[in-house]
Structure formats: C-alpha cells, structure tokens
Amino acid sequence: MTVRILATAVLALAVAGSAARAADPRYPDWPCTQAKVPEISLAAVWAGPALGDAETKWKDDAKVSALVSKLAARKTPLDEAEKSVKEFLAGSASDKAANAKLLFAGLFETLNAQRAQVMIGLERVSRKQRDAADKIRDETLALQALQGATPRDEAKVEALSNELIWKTRIFEDRHKVVRFVCEVPTSIDQRLFALGRVIQQEME
C-alpha cells in the first residue's frame, strides 16, 4: 500500500470519527457510534427496595467488598458471577435483604466507576487521534511538495514516506482498538443489569 493510499485511509477514518461525534455535540470527543450515556441510572438497573445507607456501608463489609471485586471483574464469566451471587445470598437467610442491598450498592458504584474510566480513556484517545490525523494530513502535503520539487531530494522523500507509513499504521491500529473498547461500556451495563436482576430474584 502506498503512502498516499495509507494517508487517504487515515483521513477517511478521521472524517468518519468526526461524523460520529457530530451526532451529539455535547460530547465532541466521543469516538463511538454508540450514544454516550455518562453514567448508569440506578432506576434503569434496580427495581428493588431503596438502597438507603447500603450505598455507603457496603465498603465496611469485607466479605461483600471482596465479592463485589470478583463480580465486577470482566475476567469473571457472567454465569460464574451469577452463581456466586446466589451462593452468597443463600448463605445469609436471616439478613438476606440487607446483604442483597449491600451487594448491589457495591456493584453499582464499582461498575459505574469502571465505566467512567473506560469512557475517559476513549475520549483521551479520540483527541490523540484527531491530532494524529492533522499531522498526517500536513505531512502528506509536505511529501507531495517534496515529490514535485525540482531537483527532487530522494533522501528527504524516503525519510518522510517512511515516517508517514509508521504514523499511519499507528493511527489505524489505535482506531481498531477504539472500536473494540467502544463495546466495553455496553458490556458493563449488561453485566450490572444481569447481576441486579439475579440479586432481586434472590430477595423474593
């Protein structure tokens, strides 16, 4: 693939990213086609009793805190996480409701924080990509000028060509990673909804 084609591909990706961001002017750095929802609403994932002081007290329970960490980790398969919820609540019949609220409060806070970190990272990379696209555009124009110069400095042409190829490939690799990471906030939403549903079912 020639430098010109590579640079054109980068500019096309940059334009596509700009179009996606333009869909919601409130979030100009948001690079995903999925709509940006800054945080999960409690009402969207919890139909159980009010959490009350469980929202702050869950961290004081070592067993709950440890379980929250395990359940919130994306490396923990969802079916395994659901099984752990059932086992934990089955073993606390006398205060099942209280433990259920502590557990969900911990999951809600932890997963919302995870989600926020991912989204901040996505927007940071989006800004880097925009800057990179601008530099690639400028260097492509500079390369074209060098190629059309008389006499032509082959050493400079080759050096700038190699630099453009390297920068373009980094841009494309980063773009692929962004597309993958854009799925993460949705997967966190789904995990919280699924675990919240299991917790509520165990309370009934």
Side-chain angles (χ1 to χ4, degrees), residues 40-48 71-72 78 81-82 85 104 107-108 111-112 115 184-201:
I40 308 170
S41 162
L42 179 62
V45 290
W46 180 252
L71 301 180
L78 185 56
E82 291 176 342
V85 168
F104 184 78
L107 283 170
F108 183 75
L111 289 174
N112 244 329
R115 203 171 167 279
V184 174
T186 299
S187 70
I188 292 175
D189 294 351
Q190 293 169 344
R191 175 174 286 264
L192 181 57
F193 178 80
L195 294 177
R197 181 177 55 195
V198 172
I199 292 170
Q200 290 172 85
Q201 288 172 346

Side-chain angles (χ1 to χ4, degrees), residues 21-152:
R21 289 192 297 271
D24 192 338
R26 293 175 299 171
Y27 310 116
D29 294 326
W30 183 242
C32 307
T33 55
Q34 300 91 331
K36 180 181 179 181
V37 180
E39 64 179 26
I40 308 170
S41 162
L42 179 62
V45 290
W46 180 252
L51 297 179
D53 60 4
E55 292 187 46
T56 56
K57 289 189 173 181
W58 69 271
K59 293 178 183 176
D60 299 331
D61 189 311
K63 192 171 182 180
V64 169
S65 295
L67 183 56
V68 165
S69 295
K70 176 186 175 183
L71 301 180
R74 291 195 293 278
K75 67 181 180 181
T76 303
L78 185 56
D79 56 349
E80 181 183 325
E82 291 176 342
K83 182 181 177 182
S84 295
V85 168
K86 292 175 182 178
E87 290 174 350
F88 172 69
L89 294 178
S92 58
S94 60
D95 48 4
K96 179 182 286 189
N99 282 331
K101 288 194 290 184
L102 288 171
L103 183 59
F104 184 78
L107 283 170
F108 183 75
E109 181 177 332
T110 302
L111 289 174
N112 244 329
Q114 278 186 16
R115 203 171 167 279
Q117 289 177 345
V118 170
M119 296 172 91
I120 288 169
L122 280 166
E123 292 185 324
R124 183 171 58 248
V125 172
S126 175
R127 291 189 290 272
K128 287 183 179 178
Q129 287 290 81
R130 189 161 59 242
D131 291 343
D134 289 341
K135 289 177 182 176
I136 289 170
R137 184 184 297 110
D138 291 343
E139 290 185 10
T140 300
L141 293 173
L143 177 61
Q144 290 171 351
L146 283 173
Q147 289 170 330
T150 305
R152 174 165 157 158

